[in-house]
Structures are given as structure tokens and as C-alpha cells.
């Protein structure tokens, strides 16, 4: 893991890093000492590791919870080379994919390959993060990611025993169904009641599918992108409940 | 309103009161000075104003939020004379009523009459509470009540413009449907995903029916009586968000 930039403002130190092809960002308390819980953030479609909502979330978890927070670019986004796949993914096709409808098999295969690659990259990143001072092997690790962040995050968390609490949401049963059943850690699951991309029934089916004993569904009115700000605060308390002993 | 007993422990003063036929309890910070938000608690079936979960909730809202909290006995419960209706309500019948199934019309009429009486009693109680020092007319008022607390609370809140935020839950569409549409204030709505009394679809339909612009659904696994403890904390933050400017 190679750090390429470091800035500190309002008590939060932000470091950009590369790890092979992976590009990421790491936020921690400016006065950090000793190991602390880590939360990984998976960005949404069309976003990247430093999209404004992600930075706001990272700073909230650092300042309110005292966590270290990391985000990486999904292949094709942010500082990663653009992919041919994304040139084919018109807005209409993206909507079809997000709502779990059938699309051209080549597109489906491309999306699945990207997701599998992103999962492997999260595992590589987590290995490297746990070698850093202030995180450490064996400490509690949480994952937050909705929409594309869940399409990648649910299979990642299902395969990764180091993650002990996760916030997912805004995703259809077709996108994550089989992997959701293998998730057994505490989950907070966020849905939008009038989501134009994720049919209500399909979202509720994902909640139903999680294998977790503790899972809590938060649904709010409005479209896909209108999750209310109080859900950020709620997710922070969820992580505090599960990552701090 | 006549106070009949007063005790103080761990910073909370508890006063029992009567108001005509109504019997109630009032909790406030022991060092209270000045007006503060008021939260009304509607107890569940088979409970009463001082049932242990209600007292725990009242003390939480007083100590964590600094609110004044009041609860009254529903006619037939607690310190109220028993009703002939409740002698007819066998456990099996209670389950049928709670799950929104048809029962003997005489029972249905009795339940509706009790609910109407309880709504009127809440209005009388709120009038008297707002005459007290430390509450005051025009201050913010919230309502919390699930199960029977919602069967009475939803029509009460629908008819009572002084209530500005409410937590409901564990109730079927048949119990509250029409009144839910007339509720337009912010609502937090709690459902149990495996509720043996309230069918999942019927509970979700109640959430859908609320006329509120801000409404948030919290669903958790488990039976009717197993709402997780973190929902108490969540409701406190909901009331803080809406009752404290």
C-alpha cells in the first residue's frame, strides 16, 4: 500500500493510496493513537471513492464514532481506467440492470466479472489495511454500501469472515439474492418505498433473504437517491453498537 | 387533575394522578425547571400505565431526552374498573382481534366503543397536562404506542393537532387503516417481520397508508412481543429530532 497524498482538516486526516491497480482513500482521526474499528465504504454506480456523499459519511464515522474509514474505486470508476463495459451501459440499460431486469448476456457477464474483481480487490485491500498502525489484525470491521455498493458488498461480506456488521440497501433480489442468504452478521438494510429502480417487493425479498439473526429494515418514502440524512446517523449508531465492545 | 402519590428516584420524579375516572402517571426530571416537550405513552393490551416496559420507556425519555412523559390506563386496565367486555375476550378472541380477523359483532362494537372512549380521555388528559407548570400550552407533544397503543393512538393522533410526532407499530390495517390516512405528522412505524398477530402484508399496508411526508419503517425479525431494545433508543432520537427545535 503506497500513500500518494495526505491532508488534514477539522480533525480528520485523509490519505489517498494505491495498492497495485487499486486506488483508494483512508480517513482517520488526526490525533489517532492505538487500534480502532475500521469501516469500509462501497460507492454507488456513477460515483467513486471521493464522491461528496462518501466523504461526508467517512468524516461522520471518523468524528462521531472515532473509526478509521476506507473506500476504493470500483474498476472503471474514479481514478481507475474506464471500461469498455461502461461505454455500452447507456442510462436506460443501467436502469434495467439496477431494477433486476434482463439485459444482453454480454452486459450481464461484464457486470458479474466486474463485481467478482471488486470483491477480490476488497479482500486485498483489507489485508493491506490490517497491516497499518491504528487498525491491526483481528480488530472489528464493518461494511457500508448501498445500490452498486450492495451488489458488490453483499457477496464480499458473505465471503469475508472479518466483517462483523454491515449496512446494505437499495438493491433488488436478482442483484444479490443468493449471496444474501449466506450473510449471517447483523445487518441494517435501507430501502426507499418509492424506489424507481428497485421494485418494493424485490427489496423486501432481499431483507427476508438475509441469514442474519439480527437484521433491521429501514424504509423511507421517496425515490432511489433520496435516503433521508437521519439514516447516516442511524448507521453510525448501528456500527457503534456492533463494532465497539 | 389530582396528584395522589409522588416518588423520586435516580433523577426522575413519578407522580400518579386521577382526572375524573382517568388514572394516570407522570414522569419528569427531578430538577425540572421551565417548559419541556411532552411525550404520551399508550400501553399495549393486557398492560397498564405502570407496566415495567412502559416505566423503562418513560424513564429513558426523561433522563436521555429531558422530556415530561405521561401514561393513562385504557378503560378496563390498571387502576380502572374491569369491563364485562374483557371477560368475554378469551386469549383466542384477542388473537383474532389483534390480527384483524372478524369476531362477534358485539365484541367488535365493544372494542370500538372502548377505543373511542380512550381517545376522548387522551384529549381530556392532554388539556389538563398543558395546564401544569413544566409543560405549558403550545409546547411540542409526541405520542408513542404500539399494538393496542396504536389502535387507540392512530385515531387519537389523526384527530389531535397538538401532537406533532408519533411512534406507532405492531398493528394491522383493519385496526387503524382509515385513520392512518389522516395522520400527516412525522411517524416512526415499528413492525415485527414474523409477527404472529399482525400479518406482514397488513402491517406494511398501514405504513403505506400514513399520509405523512416523513414516515420511516423499522422492521425486525421475531414475534409480536420481541421488538429489539435498540428501537427504544431509536424512538428517543426520533422524538429529539422532531420535538426539540
Amino acid at each position: 500500500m503506497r500513500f500518494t497524498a495526505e491532508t488534514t482538516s477539522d480533525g480528520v486526516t485523509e490519505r489517498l493510496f494505491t495498492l497495485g491497480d487499486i486506488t483508494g482513500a483512508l480517513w482517520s482521526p488526526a490525533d489517532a493513537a492505538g487500534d480502532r474499528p475500521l469501516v469500509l465504504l462501497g460507492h454507488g454506480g456513477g460515483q467513486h471513492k471521493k464522491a461528496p456523499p462518501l466523504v461526508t459519511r467517512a468524516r461522520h464515522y471518523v468524528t462521531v464514532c472515532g473509526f478509521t474509514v476506507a473506500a476504493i474505486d470500483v474498476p472503471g470508476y474514479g481514478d481507475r481506467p474506464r471500461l469498455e463495459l461502461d461505454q455500452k451501459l447507456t442510462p436506460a440499460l443501467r436502469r434495467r440492470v439496477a431494477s433486476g431486469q434482463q439485459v444482453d448476456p454480454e452486459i450481464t457477464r461484464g457486470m458479474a466479472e466486474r463485481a467478482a474483481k471488486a470483491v477480490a480487490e476488497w479482500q486485498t485491500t483489507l489485508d493491506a489495511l490490517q497491516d497499518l498502525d491504528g487498525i491491526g489484525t483481528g480488530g472489528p470491521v464493518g461494511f457500508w454500501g448501498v445500490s452498486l455498493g450492495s451488489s458488490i458488498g453483499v457477496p464480499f461480506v458473505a465471503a469475508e469472515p472479518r466483517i462483523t456488521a454491515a449496512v446494505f440497501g437499495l438493491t433488488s433480489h436478482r442483484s444479490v439474492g443468493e449471496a444474501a442468504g449466506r450473510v449471517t452478521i447483523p445487518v441494517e438494510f435501507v430501502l426507499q418505498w418509492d424506489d424507481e429502480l428497485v421494485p418494493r417487493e424485490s427489496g423486501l425479498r432481499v431483507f427476508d433473504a438475509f441469514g442474519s439473526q439480527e437484521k433491521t429494515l429501514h424504509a423511507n418514502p421517496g425515490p432511489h437517491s433520496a435516503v433521508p440524512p437521519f439514516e447516516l446517523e442511524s448507521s453510525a449508531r448501528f456500527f457503534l453498537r456492533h463494532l465497539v465492545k
Side-chain angles (χ1 to χ4, degrees), chain A:
Chain A
M1 181 168 280
R2 199 166 66 83
F3 289 103
T4 57
E6 176 172 332
T7 52
T8 294
S9 66
D10 297 326
V12 180
T13 298
E14 177 185 286
R15 286 179 286 176
L16 302 185
F17 66 81
T18 60
L19 179 67
D21 291 342
I22 304 164
T23 52
L26 187 66
W27 296 267
S28 51
D31 56 356
D35 291 352
R36 57 193 59 248
L38 170 66
V39 172
L40 309 177
L41 305 184
H43 67 75
Q47 296 192 342
H48 57 85
K49 66 180 177 307
K50 284 199 59 185
L54 235 72
V55 175
T56 299
R57 180 171 298 275
R59 298 187 72 95
H60 188 84
Y61 293 159
V62 171
T63 55
V64 173
C65 309
F67 297 159
T68 296
V69 179
I72 58 176
D73 291 320
V74 170
Y77 293 95
D79 294 326
R80 307 292 297 270
R82 296 292 163 269
L83 297 181
E84 212 184 314
L85 170 70
D86 289 313
Q87 257 120 53
K88 293 182 197 153
L89 270 173
T90 60
L93 263 179
R94 277 183 199 283
R95 277 195 298 276
R96 288 182 64 84
V97 168
S99 62
Q101 292 176 70
Q102 296 280 13
V103 294
D104 185 88
E106 195 192 340
I107 298 276
T108 305
R109 198 165 45 242
M111 301 283 288
E113 280 169 10
R114 164 160 47 200
K117 190 160 187 243
V119 167
E121 289 183 349
W122 264 127
Q123 289 172 317
T124 305
T125 303
L126 182 51
D127 291 344
L129 288 169
Q130 288 192 320
D131 283 339
L132 296 178
D133 282 348
I135 296 178
T137 310
V141 186
F143 181 90
W144 175 92
V146 299
S147 199
L148 176 66
S150 280
S151 310
I152 291 165
V154 172
F156 168 51
V157 167
E160 180 47 81
R162 289 175 288 183
I163 311 283
T164 54
V167 178
F168 296 125
L170 308 182
T171 191
S172 65
H173 191 259
R174 182 169 292 190
S175 301
V176 300
E178 177 273 327
R182 289 184 285 116
V183 170
T184 56
I185 58 170
V187 166
E188 188 161 284
F189 188 65
V190 178
L191 286 181
Q192 287 293 96
W193 202 241
D194 311 293
D195 196 316
E196 74 282 16
L197 297 180
V198 179
R200 192 182 293 172
E201 281 312 311
S202 184
L204 292 173
R205 232 182 116 196
V206 176
F207 176 67
D208 202 44
F210 285 117
S212 316
Q213 205 161 10
E214 183 186 324
K215 54 183 179 179
T216 187
L217 168 68
H218 287 190
N220 296 284
H224 192 73
S225 62
V227 175
F230 56 75
E231 292 296 350
L232 168 57
E233 206 199 312
S234 176
S235 69
R237 287 185 306 269
F238 171 81
F239 284 128
L240 280 170
R241 209 156 72 230
H242 293 290
L243 303 183
V244 180
K245 300 298 161 201

